[in-house]
Amino acid sequence: MFFPVLNSFTLSLKIIKSIAIFFLIFIAFISWSFENHEKAFEVIKVEGGNISGTQNSTGDIHIFKGIPFAAPPVGALRWKAPQPVIAWSGIKRCIAFGPSPMQNTPHPFGPWSEEYLIPGEPVSEDCLYLNVWTGAHSSGEKRPVVLWIYGGGFVSGGTAVPVYDGEAMAKKGIVFVSANYRVGIFGFFTLPELTEESAHQTSGNYGLLDQISALKWIKKNIAAFGGDPENITIAGQSAGSWSVNYLVASPLCKGLFQKAIAESGAQFVGQKAPVLKEAETAGEKLEKSLNANSLEELRKMPAEKLLKSSWSLNTPVIDGYVLPQTIAETFSEGKQNNVPLLTGWNQDDGLAFGKMPAPEEYKNQAEKRYGTDAVQFLSLYPGNTDEEVAASTKALSRDQIFGIQNYSWANQQAEKSKFPVYLYRFARKLPATGEYEKYGAFHTGEVAYAWDNLNFVKRCPWQPVDYSLENIMSSYWANFISTGNPNAKGLPPWPEYNTTNNPTMILDEKPRAKPLPDKKNLDFLIREIRKGK
């Protein structure tokens, strides 16, 4: 009895010793990996010079904020295409966001609390900075890359908005980049003198040129952060989504990205960007109203004075260079940058301000606008009670501004492109309290879910279903950025969109695919617009 026990005891000691050695080796490997992960990104060389960044609290994500990707567009460079970055000596510490683009001080309004706005100052014309979040361990990993383009109606916004943080997506294996671009009069002003001095005989679209400059920077530099310059996705929401639409249409973007995500915004039906001559005329009127006698005087004018001016064409221009023709024309002729697309809009994207018409007045307005088609209109957007008028007005706003645009893009892609399109409808009514409760699945509400950033929104009492939806949506977005397909094992199946049964992923408490709920409404509006109504 003694010897078997001894042998067993001796064997146990050997096993314990082997396990101990294994763990020592494992711990040493982890320590070595962590140390090398740190050292790999202590200093990175990019265009302009060397930079350093910081790490997240758990040490697995490297973060670089405020990297200059172009020269400051100030002084003589105001209203010029972005110029090469000015080189620096030493190591630039990139640990804080650069200034946000020049704009009015943001204040919460409607559904947009401070989590959805830039955190105030500083704002500056010197704003061309970008940010990178990466979980790569070395520069040779070739992780998929996304460039996030913010919204704000082309008059506001910036990368410092809390819900645009890139750490969570970096944890999912994505190299997340966000870049500032000029907005308002600084990003989209046109004038004959500006056109004349341009090598391409164009003016305006400086904000789009900033985005293109950021893409070129990514193409040249992102490998140093462990990103794949041949696997880049552009993604944007609202004006950022319109920007994605413009970039897909622009010949200047050939080869700069491989996929596109467009959340609530495009320009296919009815809406048209102003042409260059129209915008130049508006620029001349503004120049006169400011008592400026030359472009030189305008460039010397304080930014604050320009910001308070009456310039209203804060939008990209059909300029013959960045945008040679309308979006609809570009796509109908197959001249766009053909890439896989993920697009959609929100259940409560529309907003209706002011006093609602009474039911009788609502019906009269419908008959005046749609004539004999008013009966069909009122069956789709009923107004028999005050409650119905309010709901229909809000739905009509959503469909006219966003629904028909992204729906048209999805149809065009499904019918004419060899690349797939995936359509969604975000329908989760955010569980807000107080004044925010009425906004539901509001415009921008999906962003925090898509980027796995619910923790930045403090006003909502999040439920388990919200965290589940956040995980599903951010996984869809990460998968699409990686492969061009949002699907993966364990996720609700998301079929490719087609024009036969219009499969749409409804993103709410129980995500599932179903035929587009209000296809008849969108088809009606598109048909009426084409009739000229």
Side-chain angles (χ1 to χ4, degrees):
M1 293 290 295
F2 176 75
F3 286 103
V5 172
L6 180 61
N7 288 339
S8 177
F9 179 71
T10 303
L11 184 61
S12 297
L13 283 176
K14 289 181 178 179
I15 293 172
I16 292 170
K17 186 176 181 181
S18 297
I19 293 172
I21 291 171
F22 170 79
F23 274 107
L24 286 172
I25 294 172
F26 178 74
I27 291 169
F29 174 76
I30 293 297
S31 299
W32 176 85
S33 297
F34 185 77
E35 183 180 349
N36 279 272
H37 178 56
E38 279 191 316
K39 288 183 177 179
F41 295 105
E42 280 184 357
V43 177
I44 290 182
K45 182 173 178 56
V46 297
E47 280 187 299
N50 293 320
I51 64 170
S52 64
T54 185
Q55 289 178 284
N56 64 343
S57 59
T58 52
D60 58 336
I61 302 299
H62 282 272
I63 305 167
F64 302 84
K65 294 179 178 179
I67 306 172
F69 67 89
V74 300
L77 297 185
R78 178 187 281 174
W79 301 314
K80 279 187 178 289
Q83 300 298 302
V85 69
I86 299 172
W88 60 88
S89 59
I91 300 172
K92 181 182 286 292
R93 296 188 70 212
C94 295
I95 59 173
F97 290 111
S100 297
M102 198 69 192
Q103 61 193 275
N104 291 313
T105 302
H107 296 288
F109 69 103
W112 301 288
S113 52
E114 58 271 12
E115 300 97 327
Y116 299 91
L117 303 169
I118 64 169
E121 302 293 341
V123 296
S124 171
E125 283 190 85
D126 178 9
C127 64
L128 298 185
Y129 300 88
L130 56 74
N131 320 290
V132 180
W133 288 260
T134 179
H137 291 77
S138 71
S139 60
E141 289 194 27
K142 292 191 174 182
R143 295 190 176 201
V145 181
V146 64
L147 170 64
W148 172 246
I149 305 172
Y150 51 79
F154 292 115
V155 295
S156 64
T159 61
V161 172
V163 295
Y164 300 163
D165 188 87
E167 180 180 334
M169 292 305 285
K171 287 178 177 286
K172 289 181 176 287
I174 306 300
V175 177
F176 191 97
V177 184
S178 58
N180 281 340
Y181 60 93
R182 286 170 280 181
V183 298
I185 191 171
F186 305 98
F188 300 98
F189 184 60
T190 52
L191 199 66
E193 289 176 87
L194 285 169
T195 301
E196 289 170 13
E197 75 172 17
S198 164
H200 303 285
Q201 292 296 287
T202 183
S203 60
N205 288 340
Y206 303 110
L208 291 184
L209 287 167
D210 294 341
Q211 297 168 12
I212 293 169
S213 180
L215 275 169
K216 290 179 177 178
W217 186 96
I218 292 171
K219 192 81 170 175
K220 293 177 182 177
N221 296 279
I222 206 63
F225 300 84
D228 185 354
E230 301 302 323
N231 190 6
I232 298 170
T233 300
I234 53 172
Q237 184 270 340
S238 194
S241 183
W242 261 278
S243 295
V244 168
N245 192 211
Y246 294 133
L247 296 182
V248 170
S250 176
L252 302 188
C253 289
K254 186 176 181 180
L256 292 181
F257 55 85
Q258 288 70 44
K259 294 174 289 296
I261 298 175
E263 304 171 28
S264 300
Q267 192 175 83
F268 281 89
V269 185
Q271 303 173 357
K272 289 184 180 179
V275 297
L276 183 59
K277 289 297 181 184
E278 175 188 352
E280 286 177 340
T281 299
E284 288 179 304
K285 289 181 180 178
L286 180 66
E287 182 180 34
K288 186 177 181 180
S289 72
L290 291 170
N291 297 316
N293 296 310
S294 67
L295 175 58
E296 183 180 5
E297 286 187 26
L298 283 172
R299 282 191 166 132
K300 290 180 178 179
M301 197 167 284
E304 291 75 15
K305 184 174 181 178
L306 290 170
L307 193 62
K308 294 176 182 178
S309 71
S310 60
W311 181 251
S312 59
L313 289 182
N314 299 300
T315 179
V317 177
I318 306 300
D319 64 347
Y321 175 57
V322 181
L323 297 173
Q325 55 193 142
T326 69
I327 300 297
E329 289 168 342
T330 297
F331 277 78
S332 67
E333 295 174 16
K335 294 179 179 179
Q336 76 275 19
N337 299 290
N338 227 338
V339 295
L341 173 68
L342 188 155
T343 191
W345 63 99
N346 294 2
Q347 183 69 33
D348 298 307
D349 258 337
L351 289 174
F353 296 106
K355 185 179 179 181
M356 293 291 110
E360 194 61 34
E361 183 184 355
Y362 177 80
K363 292 177 183 178
N364 290 338
Q365 291 175 354
E367 290 169 357
K368 184 177 180 180
R369 177 166 185 178
Y370 296 106
T372 56
D373 294 331
V375 173
Q376 185 179 0
F377 171 83
L378 291 169
S379 70
L380 298 169
Y381 300 96
N384 297 307
T385 65
D386 290 339
E387 290 75 18
E388 279 191 345
V389 169
S392 290
T393 301
K394 189 174 179 181
L396 182 61
S397 168
R398 174 198 67 207
D399 294 345
Q400 288 178 325
I401 299 171
F402 303 106
I404 59 174
Q405 305 299 343
N406 294 83
Y407 171 62
S408 294
W409 193 357
N411 286 337
Q412 195 279 340
Q413 181 96 355
E415 292 172 347
K416 297 184 179 181
S417 175
K418 65 180 180 180
F419 292 102
V421 54
Y422 297 89
L423 187 66
Y424 74 84
R425 171 71 64 82
F426 179 78
R428 169 61 174 164
K429 296 184 180 298
L430 275 69
T433 57
E435 63 176 305
Y436 294 112
E437 187 175 3
K438 63 185 177 182
Y439 294 114
F442 64 90
H443 186 62
T444 320
E446 86 290 355
V447 172
Y449 290 84
W451 296 137
D452 204 1
N453 280 335
L454 292 188
N455 60 302
F456 286 97
V457 183
K458 306 303 181 185
R459 75 190 196 202
C460 293
W462 299 118
Q463 307 298 321
V465 68
D466 293 294
Y467 293 114
S468 174
L469 180 58
E470 175 189 42
N471 178 60
I472 290 171
M473 283 184 61
S474 61
S475 296
Y476 280 146
W477 264 239
N479 294 337
F480 182 83
I481 292 165
S482 298
T483 68
N485 186 331
N487 291 287
K489 186 177 180 181
L491 294 174
W494 187 342
E496 288 184 24
Y497 178 81
N498 63 71
T499 56
T500 301
N501 56 2
N502 309 94
T504 305
M505 178 56 69
I506 308 299
L507 297 167
D508 60 8
E509 292 85 345
K510 295 182 180 180
R512 73 280 187 202
K514 58 185 289 187
L516 182 62
D518 42 16
K519 179 182 183 301
K520 290 182 179 179
N521 300 55
L522 301 175
D523 287 338
F524 172 84
L525 293 176
I526 291 170
R527 186 171 63 252
E528 294 298 306
I529 288 172
R530 288 174 176 163
K531 285 180 181 179
K533 294 183 179 179

